[in-house]
mmCIF file with all atom_site columns, all heavy atoms in Angstrom:
data_model
loop_
_atom_site.group_PDB
_atom_site.id
_atom_site.type_symbol
_atom_site.label_atom_id
_atom_site.label_alt_id
_atom_site.label_comp_id
_atom_site.label_asym_id
_atom_site.label_entity_id
_atom_site.label_seq_id
_atom_site.pdbx_PDB_ins_code
_atom_site.Cartn_x
_atom_site.Cartn_y
_atom_site.Cartn_z
_atom_site.occupancy
_atom_site.B_iso_or_equiv
_atom_site.pdbx_formal_charge
_atom_site.auth_seq_id
_atom_site.auth_comp_id
_atom_site.auth_asym_id
_atom_site.auth_atom_id
_atom_site.pdbx_PDB_model_num
ATOM 1  N N   . THR L 1 129 ? 100.703 85.833 113.166 1.00 98.00 ? 129 THR L N   1
ATOM 2  C CA  . THR L 1 129 ? 101.739 86.650 113.797 1.00 98.00 ? 129 THR L CA  1
ATOM 3  C C   . THR L 1 129 ? 102.399 87.535 112.737 1.00 98.00 ? 129 THR L C   1
ATOM 4  O O   . THR L 1 129 ? 102.591 88.735 112.948 1.00 98.00 ? 129 THR L O   1
ATOM 5  C CB  . THR L 1 129 ? 102.778 85.741 114.482 1.00 98.00 ? 129 THR L CB  1
ATOM 6  O OG1 . THR L 1 129 ? 102.085 84.913 115.427 1.00 98.00 ? 129 THR L OG1 1
ATOM 7  C CG2 . THR L 1 129 ? 103.836 86.548 115.211 1.00 98.00 ? 129 THR L CG2 1
ATOM 8  N N   . ALA L 1 130 ? 102.682 86.951 111.568 1.00 98.00 ? 130 ALA L N   1
ATOM 9  C CA  . ALA L 1 130 ? 103.277 87.740 110.468 1.00 98.00 ? 130 ALA L CA  1
ATOM 10 C C   . ALA L 1 130 ? 102.318 88.833 110.008 1.00 98.00 ? 130 ALA L C   1
ATOM 11 O O   . ALA L 1 130 ? 102.747 89.883 109.530 1.00 98.00 ? 130 ALA L O   1
ATOM 12 C CB  . ALA L 1 130 ? 103.634 86.816 109.305 1.00 98.00 ? 130 ALA L CB  1
ATOM 13 N N   . ALA L 1 131 ? 100.996 88.576 110.166 1.00 98.00 ? 131 ALA L N   1
ATOM 14 C CA  . ALA L 1 131 ? 99.993  89.537 109.684 1.00 98.00 ? 131 ALA L CA  1
ATOM 15 C C   . ALA L 1 131 ? 99.655  90.602 110.726 1.00 98.00 ? 131 ALA L C   1
ATOM 16 O O   . ALA L 1 131 ? 98.771  91.426 110.492 1.00 98.00 ? 131 ALA L O   1
ATOM 17 C CB  . ALA L 1 131 ? 98.733  88.787 109.248 1.00 98.00 ? 131 ALA L CB  1
ATOM 18 N N   . GLY L 1 132 ? 100.310 90.572 111.896 1.00 98.00 ? 132 GLY L N   1
ATOM 19 C CA  . GLY L 1 132 ? 100.115 91.653 112.875 1.00 98.00 ? 132 GLY L CA  1
ATOM 20 C C   . GLY L 1 132 ? 99.411  91.253 114.158 1.00 98.00 ? 132 GLY L C   1
ATOM 21 O O   . GLY L 1 132 ? 99.162  92.098 115.013 1.00 98.00 ? 132 GLY L O   1
ATOM 22 N N   . PHE L 1 133 ? 99.085  89.960 114.299 1.00 98.00 ? 133 PHE L N   1
ATOM 23 C CA  . PHE L 1 133 ? 98.387  89.489 115.500 1.00 98.00 ? 133 PHE L CA  1
ATOM 24 C C   . PHE L 1 133 ? 99.387  88.980 116.544 1.00 98.00 ? 133 PHE L C   1
ATOM 25 O O   . PHE L 1 133 ? 100.515 88.606 116.222 1.00 98.00 ? 133 PHE L O   1
ATOM 26 C CB  . PHE L 1 133 ? 97.421  88.350 115.163 1.00 98.00 ? 133 PHE L CB  1
ATOM 27 C CG  . PHE L 1 133 ? 96.160  88.803 114.470 1.00 98.00 ? 133 PHE L CG  1
ATOM 28 C CD1 . PHE L 1 133 ? 96.148  89.087 113.114 1.00 98.00 ? 133 PHE L CD1 1
ATOM 29 C CD2 . PHE L 1 133 ? 94.969  88.936 115.187 1.00 98.00 ? 133 PHE L CD2 1
ATOM 30 C CE1 . PHE L 1 133 ? 94.974  89.503 112.468 1.00 98.00 ? 133 PHE L CE1 1
ATOM 31 C CE2 . PHE L 1 133 ? 93.809  89.341 114.561 1.00 98.00 ? 133 PHE L CE2 1
ATOM 32 C CZ  . PHE L 1 133 ? 93.810  89.627 113.196 1.00 98.00 ? 133 PHE L CZ  1
ATOM 33 N N   . THR L 1 134 ? 98.917  88.934 117.790 1.00 98.00 ? 134 THR L N   1
ATOM 34 C CA  . THR L 1 134 ? 99.684  88.364 118.883 1.00 98.00 ? 134 THR L CA  1
ATOM 35 C C   . THR L 1 134 ? 98.785  87.371 119.618 1.00 98.00 ? 134 THR L C   1
ATOM 36 O O   . THR L 1 134 ? 97.597  87.646 119.836 1.00 98.00 ? 134 THR L O   1
ATOM 37 C CB  . THR L 1 134 ? 100.123 89.477 119.867 1.00 98.00 ? 134 THR L CB  1
ATOM 38 O OG1 . THR L 1 134 ? 100.967 90.385 119.158 1.00 98.00 ? 134 THR L OG1 1
ATOM 39 C CG2 . THR L 1 134 ? 100.882 88.902 121.057 1.00 98.00 ? 134 THR L CG2 1
#
Side-chain angles (χ1 to χ4, degrees):
T129 303
F133 285 80
T134 298

